[in-house]
Amino acid sequence: MTTITPIDQSPKEQEVQHDLHADHRLFGLVAFLIADGMTFAGFFAAYLTFKAVNPLLPDAIYELELPLPTLNTILLLVSSATFHRAGQALNKSDSKSCQKWLLITASLGLAFLASQMVEYFTLPFGLTDNLYASTFYALTGFHGLHVTLGAFMILIVWWQSRQPGGRITSQNKFPLEAAELYWHFVDGIWVILFIILYLV
Amino acid sequence: MTITIPPKSNKESEGLQPKGFLRYFSFSLDHKVIGIQYLVCGFLFYLVGGALASAIRIELTSPISDFMPRDVYNQVLTLHGTIMIFLWIVPVVNGAFGNYLIPFYVGARDMAFPRLNAVAFWLIPPAGLMLISSYFINGAAQSGWTAYPPLSITTPAAGQIIWILSVLLLGGSSIFGGINFIATILKLRRPGLKLMQLPMYCWAMLGTSILVVLSTPVLAGTLILLSFDIVAHTGFFNPTLGGNVIVYQHLFWFYSHPAVYIMVLPAFGLVSEILPIHSRKPLFGYTTMVYSIMAIVFLGLIVWAHHMFTSGTPPWMRLFFTIATSFIAVPTGIKFFNWVATLWGGKISLNSAILFSCGFIVNFVLGGITGVALAQVPFDIHVHDTYFVVAHFHYIVYGGSVFVIFSSIYHWYPKFTGRMLNEKIGRIHFILTFVGFNLCFAPQHWLGMNGMPRRVAEYDPQFTFVNQLSSFGALLMALSTLPFLWNVIHSSFKGEIAGENPWQALTPEWLTSSPPPVENWLGEAPLVTDPYGYGKKQLQEQFNDLESEKQ
Ligand code: HEM
Ligand SMILES: [Cu+2]
């Protein structure tokens, strides 16, 4: 067993050095998303507890319409797939098709937000009407905030992946990968939210 | 294996950063500068929090509310708790020592995300100043560090909202720090260094950071909902609007029980570094220490409702949380016995660093015992929200964490500044702190058992004498700060020159100049595979060889 090994620089070891400059940003992002997921977990737990122990008055109970949120779910799931296609295109250095898929993804995200707005304005309850209404808006609103942020990120990635001139290339994939991971995360959260809020 | 870590391009980082004293006021990316920024900033807030504590103890020297108006008392109490937790202990045991030491321990030249690191630090001063300034604007928050609704909804809104904002900022800072520590420990280890060869503080910080990442976001979400209740008049936690205060308590404690470990686990780690060096013995039971940390992390996440035994918790919940909480005593006890075994038969040099560490062990055992007592429902129902609880957690957060912070300052000051602290003054500081602390908080057990409620400025006159005793202890604690301050300031100019390794330590931060250069080591990063190899003859010889080689 050794305590301290004096080290001398030998050319053979130079290869290992590359590893030391490895990029850990994606790892950091995963940790951040776990943290972000815990925020949602807290909200979900609050919602489910409220639902279990704070029954609403009979006239405050309202059955949510399903078509719009189902459409929303489909929009987001498809957008996850299209983002994946964009990533594949970037791997092949096909910036044209990468940009195309990114734009489609961003449009799907914006369509989701639009349809969410439609739902908000057609619902018969407002933010402060009752506990259920407040939690509904807090949850969907917090998620919508994530979608908004994600859509902005996609548009930035889209702009930066233009060729020539953009900074995102198959050599510098991190921004796209990060945005993609985040986007899948936001979609995953929506699926849970959809199940808990609309189906259960 | 012989592998080197290439220095980052020195030119770049040196050119960008201000030199000398000014760098502590800059957006420096050097983990050592950031560590010192955390430490000094935290200590300044500690002085503020301490002044507030003194105000509380002055008020409590008499059973009537005469020193300050009642609502001011509430504000002082809230600010005191919030500052001490979020601006002193959490940033210092994590941010300050973590940033300074972890890159050394894993053999890296900086943290994984230096920029995020600087951002995390620079969130703290504005958040702290904002919090304190709320007192002068419209009155600070009045609902204690726990901000329980409906109190936090019904007390003046401005102060409470500022409180929420600054806690959110501090929580964000803490999460960024946690992500950085996890990435640094898991990803930046120098090649050849195995996880089970890391100094214990790395494990403590890994465990703590997992807790930070898993639990702090829940607090953030909860406080956002609370702010909606205050600003938008939603009713999440407002019973008059159909809301549920118990849900707040669950969510709050889901963060805040882990938070007590966020304050004390890093302290465990620091003590585990300090004891072996000053008793010249290997750390006893390294592997069990690692597993106990991980057990504490896991159990720490599932015991939160022991703070809610009087909140109408159903019997099954009481049973579960009592048992789970009592289990924490096992890994905690293992660590305690390991520290004692580390000291046992060692060549102990009774300097200020080890005095404070031993003080920690003594105080922490007392706090742990009252903790286990509080976990038992029949007892807790009797003393919940009394001074007994105040005594319990001060034995742990002050007697534990703050003692360790002082111990660590005595231990690493030579590395930070290149100069030694004055031992004699250090011992005076220790004696004053230890006596003052126990005089201040031991009597509070009795007060609580006899029914004196916490957080109230007035009390039954029968408690007057014991409260005065406690306040006298607080006075000693306040006084103890003076020799310490004088010591750290005076020694930074006049202290004895420390040299590279005044303690003959084996951990990597000592194998470089004091203070270390920007990239930590001028040459290659040393590979330390047995950081606790003290007293092992063969190892010692190797060490000596290395030293003589240098000369
Ligand atoms: C052996 C381990 C421990 C056990 C079994 C334990 C148990 C408890 C229990 C049951 C309470 C609730 C008392 C009540 O409000 O009626 C409590 C309160 C508290 N404990 Fe511990 N504890 C332990 C360790 C710690 C540690 C390590 C810390 C901090 C570093 C800590 C800090 C606190 C604080 C701050 C409170 C009061 C919170 C408040 O109401 O403001 N405890 N503890
Ligand atoms: Cu607890």
Side-chain angles (χ1 to χ4, degrees):
Chain A
M1 215 181 20
T2 45
T3 310
I4 299 153
T5 322
I7 303 158
D8 48 354
Q9 188 118 22
S10 57
K12 213 178 109 207
E13 267 69 54
Q14 297 294 333
E15 295 141 63
V16 198
Q17 297 182 358
H18 181 74
D19 202 38
L20 288 159
H21 288 290
D23 196 343
H24 304 303
R25 285 178 293 179
L26 223 45
F27 180 87
L29 179 65
V30 171
F32 177 78
L33 291 180
I34 292 176
D36 202 14
M38 286 306 292
T39 322
F40 279 104
F43 284 157
F44 291 149
Y47 172 79
L48 292 174
T49 320
F50 285 146
K51 203 167 157 157
V53 299
N54 289 53
L56 291 175
L57 298 173
D59 62 323
I61 293 172
Y62 173 80
E63 282 288 322
L64 287 165
E65 304 276 355
L66 275 182
L68 212 50
T70 310
L71 173 72
N72 276 346
T73 312
I74 295 170
L75 285 176
L76 280 191
L77 287 178
V78 173
S79 76
S80 253
T82 56
F83 209 146
H84 189 64
R85 291 298 294 269
Q88 285 177 328
L90 187 72
N91 277 338
K92 292 193 213 118
S93 294
D94 183 353
S95 66
K96 269 263 152 49
S97 115
C98 172
Q99 276 203 301
K100 178 186 77 188
W101 286 114
L102 282 173
L103 212 52
I104 296 177
T105 313
S107 324
L108 287 168
L110 293 174
F112 170 90
L113 287 173
S115 115
Q116 182 83 301
M117 278 300 143
V118 173
E119 191 192 13
Y120 277 7
F121 284 111
T122 50
L123 285 173
F125 51 78
L127 174 67
T128 54
D129 279 11
N130 56 50
L131 188 57
Y132 172 76
S134 305
T135 329
F136 174 86
Y137 283 112
L139 266 173
T140 51
F142 193 59
H143 177 265
L145 215 61
H146 279 73
V147 177
T148 315
L149 196 72
F152 269 115
M153 291 195 324
I154 296 171
L155 288 176
I156 293 171
V157 172
W158 169 74
W159 176 242
Q160 285 294 350
S161 57
R162 71 191 189 280
Q163 273 327 321
R167 277 194 280 167
I168 299 175
T169 62
S170 52
Q171 268 81 54
N172 179 26
K173 289 192 291 195
F174 172 73
L176 184 135
E177 283 176 338
E180 183 178 347
L181 191 62
Y182 173 82
W183 193 253
H184 292 322
F185 165 79
V186 173
D187 295 351
I189 292 287
W190 172 262
V191 173
I192 302 174
L193 197 153
F194 178 65
I195 294 171
I196 293 183
L197 223 52
Y198 294 90
L199 301 184
V200 176
Chain B
M1 270 226 295
T2 54
I3 303 154
T4 47
I5 298 197
K8 286 189 301 195
S9 56
N10 258 329
K11 269 173 265 151
E12 190 191 322
S13 44
E14 270 175 19
L16 285 174
Q17 305 198 353
K19 289 242 170 61
F21 194 61
L22 263 187
R23 70 184 185 281
Y24 293 111
F25 297 92
S26 74
F27 192 79
S28 171
L29 304 185
D30 183 342
H31 70 99
K32 300 181 290 298
V33 174
I34 295 179
I36 301 294
Q37 285 174 332
Y38 267 108
L39 183 61
V40 174
C41 174
F43 190 78
L44 293 177
F45 282 121
Y46 171 65
L47 293 181
V48 178
L52 294 166
S54 310
I56 295 172
R57 283 317 319 171
I58 293 173
E59 171 67 76
L60 292 177
T61 47
S62 69
I64 50 166
S65 171
D66 46 7
F67 182 62
M68 50 189 150
R70 294 183 182 109
D71 62 328
V72 173
Y73 182 85
N74 292 345
Q75 296 173 31
V76 167
L77 191 83
T78 304
L79 283 179
H80 162 72
T82 312
I83 289 174
M84 289 303 198
I85 290 172
F86 292 112
L87 290 160
W88 159 238
I89 299 185
V90 172
V92 169
V93 292
N94 292 276
F97 293 105
N99 276 305
Y100 203 97
L101 298 173
I102 294 289
F104 279 111
Y105 285 173
V106 300
R109 300 201 182 271
D110 210 320
M111 297 283 287
F113 312 115
R115 217 164 286 275
L116 184 69
N117 204 17
V119 171
F121 168 73
W122 282 106
L123 284 173
I124 292 179
L129 293 178
M130 201 164 87
L131 179 72
I132 295 169
S133 66
S134 69
Y135 175 83
F136 302 98
I137 295 170
N138 213 343
Q142 296 194 30
S143 52
W145 83 282
T146 50
Y148 269 16
L151 195 59
S152 48
I153 301 173
T154 49
T155 44
Q160 195 64 51
I161 285 295
I162 296 179
W163 182 91
I164 290 176
L165 282 177
S166 52
V167 173
L168 284 177
L169 286 179
L170 295 168
S173 156
S174 178
I175 293 173
F176 292 156
I179 292 172
N180 222 336
F181 286 125
I182 295 179
T184 307
I185 296 168
L186 292 182
K187 292 287 180 180
L188 241 53
R189 248 172 312 125
R190 88 189 293 306
L193 186 60
K194 297 194 183 65
L195 272 177
M196 290 307 267
Q197 296 167 338
L198 288 175
M200 194 52 61
Y201 183 57
C202 293
W203 283 104
M205 282 306 295
L206 184 64
T208 309
S209 302
I210 292 173
L211 286 177
V212 167
V213 166
L214 292 180
S215 66
T216 317
V218 176
L219 175 75
T222 312
L223 292 184
I224 290 172
L225 294 185
L226 184 65
S227 66
F228 273 118
D229 277 4
I230 296 172
V231 181
H233 303 290
T234 52
F236 298 111
F237 307 127
N238 191 342
T240 56
L241 298 176
N244 189 330
V245 291
I246 304 294
V247 171
Y248 177 90
Q249 297 187 8
H250 276 296
L251 292 172
F252 178 83
W253 289 112
F254 182 81
Y255 164 73
S256 290
H257 181 79
V260 307
Y261 288 101
I262 293 169
M263 290 186 266
V264 90
L265 268 181
F268 288 178
L270 292 168
V271 163
S272 306
E273 302 307 329
I274 295 168
L275 290 180
I277 293 175
H278 296 283
S279 54
R280 313 309 303 165
K281 276 185 64 197
L283 181 66
F284 189 91
Y286 180 94
T287 322
T288 56
M289 287 289 229
V290 172
Y291 287 125
S292 339
I293 288 176
M294 291 307 154
I296 290 177
V297 168
F298 172 70
L299 289 172
L301 283 167
I302 55 163
V303 297
W304 71 89
H306 62 218
H307 295 272
M308 301 167 53
F309 286 146
T310 58
S311 304
T313 20
W316 68 266
M317 227 188 238
R318 290 178 162 184
L319 191 67
F320 173 80
F321 283 103
T322 290
I323 293 173
T325 306
S326 306
F327 263 118
I328 291 201
V330 176
T332 315
I334 290 176
K335 297 185 77 75
F336 164 74
F337 286 115
N338 281 347
W339 291 320
V340 175
T342 303
L343 287 170
W344 199 272
K347 284 208 302 214
I348 301 174
S349 41
L350 265 190
N351 52 30
S352 318
I354 208 158
L355 282 176
F356 270 102
S357 278
C358 292
F360 154 83
I361 295 180
V362 172
N363 298 332
F364 182 74
V365 165
L366 289 169
I369 291 172
T370 52
V372 178
L374 284 171
Q376 315 310 315
V377 178
F379 181 71
D380 184 64
I381 288 177
H382 182 62
V383 294
H384 174 71
D385 258 343
T386 69
Y387 260 83
F388 191 89
V389 175
V390 177
H392 156 68
F393 70 73
H394 279 92
Y395 262 84
I396 287 172
V397 291
Y398 199 102
S401 305
V402 178
F403 269 62
V404 172
I405 293 173
F406 283 130
S407 176
S408 305
I409 292 176
Y410 283 102
H411 180 72
W412 277 289
Y413 186 91
K415 185 47 65 183
F416 295 162
T417 62
R419 290 177 186 275
M420 306 297 285
L421 282 170
N422 183 313
E423 259 310 309
K424 211 182 245 158
I425 303 177
R427 282 175 207 185
I428 296 174
H429 174 213
F430 169 75
I431 291 170
L432 272 178
T433 315
F434 190 77
V435 174
F437 166 77
N438 278 290
L439 209 56
C440 180
F441 291 106
Q444 294 183 3
H445 292 111
W446 183 87
L447 287 172
M449 301 258 271
N450 285 280
M452 177 175 162
R454 64 191 281 208
R455 290 182 167 160
V456 186
E458 287 153 33
Y459 53 83
D460 193 299
Q462 60 161 318
F463 298 132
T464 312
F465 172 72
V466 181
N467 268 298
Q468 285 169 347
L469 196 66
S470 175
S471 294
F472 179 68
L475 174 70
L476 291 186
M477 284 162 85
L479 286 180
S480 78
T481 317
L482 299 178
F484 174 75
L485 267 177
W486 193 82
N487 202 353
V488 288
I489 295 171
H490 183 258
S491 304
S492 72
F493 302 107
K494 296 270 161 69
E496 203 184 311
I497 300 288
E500 275 195 7
N501 193 351
W503 311 126
Q504 312 270 304
L506 294 175
T507 39
E509 80 274 28
W510 298 104
L511 307 176
T512 182
S513 60
S514 311
V518 173
E519 303 270 301
N520 294 352
W521 301 275
L522 282 179
E524 304 79 20
L527 175 63
V528 179
T529 52
D530 184 5
Y532 302 113
Y534 302 103
K536 296 182 185 168
K537 232 189 176 162
Q538 163 215 5
L539 296 173
Q540 201 60 48
E541 274 164 19
Q542 260 192 24
F543 177 69
N544 295 343
D545 286 348
L546 194 80
E547 286 288 281
S548 56
E549 244 178 57
K550 274 193 198 140
Q551 282 143 24

